[in-house]
């Protein structure tokens, strides 16, 4: 028998350790400092340790003034925004030597393509780049023209693509108010016929002959403003500036938003009054259209409206123009509002979310209606053609019913294309992506750069649009070509047959 002392005592098992709650995931930030999920590696050799960095998938936010560039997309032999940006990425150390001039190697994607002369405030591109050491934004800007400004970048998922993940794009077209006045800058024949009659419209003759507008016929004007700072890259107007120009802007090559230029109706903010005392005498005033009704406002001591016209963008004009633009809202077949896309092509169908023109801004003495369009995507020339036909209707050159007729698959109409200078990309939106990845990644939006973007827009884009209209009269010259001789389809009625697929060729008015 075993003695009691020899019995083994079994102790109870120790209690399990208390469960610790997992730490919440940290957002992947755009900072360039090293963190747990952003590890940098070091290589040990006989020489001192050398830091090696990993590539990161990022979205880059930037703006540009399109003057002098052949559009956004890279094109061999042409000066483009994309080619300058790619070179700056290489010079800044974001792209290695073996990947230079080969964007596929670093997953390059753009949110929108813009055409020759078209600007952007909220353009976004994405790719895999070296974002370390700190100071990438500063290095990029030092290797770019002042016409291109990098605002910053955000870390994104490995699958992010700036084109595919962009839900909407918002574009703005600054349209001079005088373009909506049928008595201002009529067709060239009317201008020539008014010679010697004492009619105020005879002043348009100089515009027609020399490619420049004249004081008095185009609303609030002032040719005596100080030049823009040289760093802005925009030349000022001179009193004796003369630019030869082709009246028929249909012959100008331009690519408005080739693949997908979407926009968003959120944050429809009016332009702020920006003080550029040390830069220039750029005056920007924002006027609510319903405040204009029945008033004879003055700005900078000058009378509003063209002499002898009395036209202003008041409540009545705003309602009519807004009603015209609303025809574009929704899903339609826009085959007549682009080139090289047939009515049967599924790509001709586009969805427009909103199209509004509720705000008037004054830049350098010229009043502009801010036409803001939001859509999923846009085709080549689509926005400029939508503006062109809407202006033709406002000037009584075409019936309002022509828009709905142009949507019909069996109808082919030659639609006017407004000049490219007034168009710019306001913002690219990534709502679905932001909602899906809000817990792990930063929001892909322009919110953090709004102030800087507003300053760039006023200094570079708005001033360029106004100075170009002062010096070259791009819109005024285009209006001289907006007539039935150049565009016989504008007077087509519902009983006429336009299904033959051929429209009368546009006659060049620069005779």
């Amino acid at each position: 028998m075993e003695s009691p002392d020899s019995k083994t005592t079994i102790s109870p098992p120790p209690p399990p350790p208390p469960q610790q709650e997992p730490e919440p995931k940290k957002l992947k930030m755009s900072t360039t400092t090293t963190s747990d999920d952003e590890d940098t590696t070091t290589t040990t050799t006989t020489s001192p340790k050398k830091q090696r960095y990993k590539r990161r998938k990022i979205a880059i936010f930037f703006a540009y003034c399109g003057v002098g560039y052949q559009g956004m997309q890279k094109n061999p032999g042409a000066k483009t925004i994309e080619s300058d940006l790619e070179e700056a990425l290489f010079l800044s150390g974001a792209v290695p030597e073996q990947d230079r001039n080969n964007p596929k190697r670093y997953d390059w994607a753009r949110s929108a393509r813009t055409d020759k002369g078209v600007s952007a405030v909220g353009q976004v591109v994405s790719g895999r780049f070296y974002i370390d050491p700190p100071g990438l934004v500063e290095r990029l800007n030092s290797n770019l023209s002042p016409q291109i400004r990098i605002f910053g970048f955000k870390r994104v998922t490995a699958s992010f693509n700036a084109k595919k993940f962009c839900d909407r794009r918002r574009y703005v077209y600054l349209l001079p108010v005088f373009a909506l006045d049928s008595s201002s800058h009529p067709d060239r024949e009317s201008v020539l016929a008014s010679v010697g009659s004492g009619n105020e419209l005879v002043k348009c003759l100089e515009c027609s002959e020399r490619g420049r507008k004249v004081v008095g016929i185009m609303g609030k004007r002032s040719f005596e403003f100080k030049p823009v700072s040289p760093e802005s890259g925009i030349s000022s107007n001179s009193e004796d500036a003369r630019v030869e120009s082709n009246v028929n802007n249909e012959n100008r090559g331009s690519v408005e938003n080739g693949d997908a230029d979407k926009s968003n109706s959120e944050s429809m903010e009016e332009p702020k009054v920006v003080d550029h005392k040390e830069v220039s005498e750029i005056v920007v005033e924002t006027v609510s259209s319903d405040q204009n009704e029945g008033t004879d406002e003055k700005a900078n001591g000058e009378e509003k409206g063209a002499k002898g016209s009395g036209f202003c963008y008041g409540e009545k004009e705003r309602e009519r123009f807004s009603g015209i633009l609303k025809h574009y809202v929704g899903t339609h077949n826009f085959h007549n509002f682009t080139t090289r896309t047939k009515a049967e092509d599924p790509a001709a169908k586009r969805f427009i979310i909103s199209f509004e023109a509720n705000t008037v801004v004054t830049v350098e003495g010229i009043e502009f209606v801010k036409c803001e369009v939001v859509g999923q995507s846009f085709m080549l020339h689509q926005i400029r053609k939508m503006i062109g036909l809407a202006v033709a209707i406002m000037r009584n050159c075409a019936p309002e019913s022509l828009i709905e007729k142009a949507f019909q698959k069996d109808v082919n109409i030659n639609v006017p294309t407004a000049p490219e200078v007034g168009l710019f990309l306001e913002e690219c939106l990534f709502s679905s992506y932001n909602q899906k990845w809000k817990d792990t990644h930063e929001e892909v939006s322009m919110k953090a750069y709004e102030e800087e973007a507003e300053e760039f827009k006023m200094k570079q884009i708005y001033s360029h649009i106004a100075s170009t209209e002062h010096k070259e009269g791009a819109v005024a010259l285009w209006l001289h070509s907006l007539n039935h001789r150049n565009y016989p389809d504008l007077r087509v009625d519902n009983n006429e047959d336009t299904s033959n697929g051929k429209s009368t060729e546009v006659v060049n008015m620069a005779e």
Side-chain angles (χ1 to χ4, degrees):
M1 294 180 63
E2 295 181 0
S3 65
D5 296 337
S6 65
K7 290 184 178 179
T8 305
T9 304
I10 301 175
S11 59
Q19 290 186 349
Q20 296 182 349
E21 294 185 4
E23 294 184 5
K25 291 183 179 180
K26 295 180 180 180
L27 294 180
K28 291 193 176 182
M29 307 296 286
S30 55
T31 177
T32 56
T33 56
T34 305
S35 62
D36 293 337
D37 64 328
E38 219 175 299
D39 55 334
T40 57
T41 59
T42 57
T43 303
T44 304
T45 60
T46 54
S47 60
K49 290 183 179 180
K50 183 179 179 181
Q51 224 174 11
R52 297 178 59 190
Y53 304 108
K54 286 188 175 182
R55 296 199 203 192
R56 307 295 180 187
K57 192 68 173 288
I58 63 172
I60 300 175
F61 297 81
F62 66 105
Y64 53 85
C65 179
V67 59
Y69 284 90
Q70 301 296 310
M72 167 70 186
Q73 187 176 14
K74 195 173 179 180
N75 191 9
K79 181 178 175 62
T80 65
I81 300 294
E82 200 167 78
S83 58
D84 279 14
L85 184 56
E86 285 184 10
E87 184 65 12
L89 285 165
F90 166 73
L91 296 174
S92 303
V95 173
E97 175 70 40
Q98 63 267 25
D99 292 351
R100 189 180 187 182
N101 299 320
N102 191 0
K104 289 184 179 180
R105 294 277 301 240
Y106 45 86
D107 296 335
W108 178 265
R110 73 190 78 79
S111 289
R113 292 194 299 185
T114 54
D115 191 13
K116 172 188 174 184
V118 177
S119 303
V121 178
Q123 178 68 283
V124 180
V125 295
S126 62
R128 292 173 59 250
F129 304 109
Y130 293 109
I131 60 177
D132 294 302
L136 175 61
V137 173
E138 291 73 17
R139 294 196 300 275
L140 284 171
N141 283 326
S142 67
N143 288 302
L144 288 167
S145 159
Q147 285 181 230
I148 307 174
R149 188 56 42 201
I150 306 296
F151 299 137
F153 62 85
K154 300 287 182 70
R155 288 283 307 278
V156 292
T157 62
S159 63
F160 182 86
N161 182 292
K163 175 186 173 183
K164 295 178 181 178
F165 282 56
C166 187
D167 303 314
R168 293 171 286 179
R169 283 94 171 166
R170 177 167 66 246
Y171 277 81
V172 170
Y173 192 98
L174 288 189
L175 178 69
V177 169
F178 67 77
L180 303 177
D181 181 5
S182 59
S183 66
S184 175
H185 292 267
D187 60 83
R188 191 176 181 188
E189 287 78 2
S190 299
V191 172
L192 293 172
S194 68
V195 174
S197 65
N199 192 316
E200 189 74 17
L201 295 177
V202 72
K203 289 189 176 183
C204 282
L205 184 60
E206 183 178 353
C207 169
S208 179
E209 296 292 345
R210 306 202 181 184
R212 182 174 178 271
K213 301 195 309 297
V214 186
V215 177
I217 195 62
M218 295 156 358
K220 296 185 288 187
R221 308 300 315 276
S222 174
F223 284 99
E224 298 181 2
F225 57 90
K226 295 180 182 179
V228 176
S229 167
E231 67 179 11
S232 69
I234 300 173
S235 60
S236 63
N237 300 331
S238 60
E239 187 64 40
D240 58 348
R242 295 294 184 269
V243 179
E244 294 296 327
S245 177
N246 187 341
V247 174
N248 187 2
N249 281 282
E250 286 296 302
N251 294 331
R252 295 183 181 182
S254 49
V255 169
E256 181 176 308
N257 332 324
D259 332 55
D261 313 348
K262 302 177 186 177
S263 53
N264 186 9
S265 58
E266 300 171 357
S267 67
M268 300 276 286
E269 293 189 84
E270 298 179 351
K272 302 174 184 176
V273 178
V274 177
D275 185 8
H276 293 297
K277 291 181 181 177
E278 71 284 353
V279 179
S280 66
E281 287 288 300
I282 301 174
V283 179
V284 180
E285 300 174 0
T286 302
V287 182
S288 176
S289 58
D290 51 5
Q291 292 176 341
N292 293 345
E293 186 178 11
T295 64
D296 185 17
E297 297 182 271
K298 293 188 177 184
N300 304 327
E302 297 181 70
E303 287 187 342
K304 177 183 177 183
K307 289 184 180 179
S309 171
F311 180 88
C312 70
Y313 194 69
E315 182 65 22
K316 183 179 178 181
E317 291 75 17
R318 184 191 67 81
E319 286 184 0
R320 186 187 174 205
F321 193 46
S322 296
I324 293 170
L325 296 178
K326 279 185 179 178
H327 286 283
Y328 296 122
V329 176
T331 302
H332 303 287
N333 191 316
F334 286 95
H335 69 101
N336 280 312
F337 295 85
T338 185
T339 57
R340 301 189 296 273
T341 301
K342 296 182 179 180
E344 300 77 28
D345 191 337
K349 281 193 175 183
R350 301 286 162 144
F351 176 52
I352 305 300
I353 297 167
S354 65
F355 206 159
E356 298 177 343
N358 296 326
T359 306
V360 174
V361 296
T362 302
V363 187
E364 296 182 6
I366 301 180
E367 283 190 330
F368 294 91
V369 179
K370 186 179 179 182
C371 306
E372 194 164 0
V373 58
V374 179
Q376 285 185 336
S377 61
F378 301 94
M379 295 181 290
L380 176 68
H381 302 318
Q382 182 182 342
I383 296 175
R384 292 167 54 202
K385 281 183 174 290
M386 289 192 292
I387 291 289
L389 183 54
V391 170
I393 294 170
M394 278 292 288
R395 292 175 64 86
N396 302 316
C397 295
E400 191 169 333
S401 59
L402 190 59
I403 295 180
E404 296 295 337
K405 190 172 184 67
F407 293 148
Q408 298 176 18
K409 290 179 98 174
D410 59 343
V411 172
N412 288 279
I413 295 174
N414 184 18
V415 175
T417 307
E420 74 275 4
V421 64
L423 181 66
F424 64 91
L425 173 65
E426 178 83 53
E427 189 177 7
C428 298
L429 284 303
F430 302 86
S431 304
S432 298
Y433 170 85
N434 289 332
Q435 179 64 30
K436 183 176 181 179
W437 299 100
K438 63 182 179 181
D439 294 330
T440 57
H441 287 74
E442 290 181 282
E443 182 180 65
V444 178
S445 74
M446 285 288 293
K447 289 180 182 178
Y449 317 114
E450 285 177 349
E451 196 171 318
E452 191 177 355
E454 189 73 14
E455 183 180 354
F456 182 91
K457 179 169 64 176
M458 296 300 174
K459 180 180 174 182
Q460 290 275 12
I461 299 176
Y462 272 40
S463 62
H464 164 62
I465 294 172
S467 64
T468 301
E469 196 57 41
H470 270 299
K471 186 164 59 174
E472 301 179 19
V475 174
L477 286 171
W478 170 68
L479 294 177
H480 287 309
S481 69
L482 199 59
N483 53 58
H484 293 150
R485 185 160 74 93
N486 281 354
Y487 301 99
D489 292 345
L490 292 181
R491 57 185 171 191
V492 68
D493 58 41
N494 292 330
N495 296 322
E496 288 189 54
D497 181 16
T498 57
S499 60
N500 55 6
K502 298 278 185 178
S503 295
T504 304
E505 185 177 349
V506 176
V507 180
N508 192 327
M509 293 295 292
E511 300 171 357

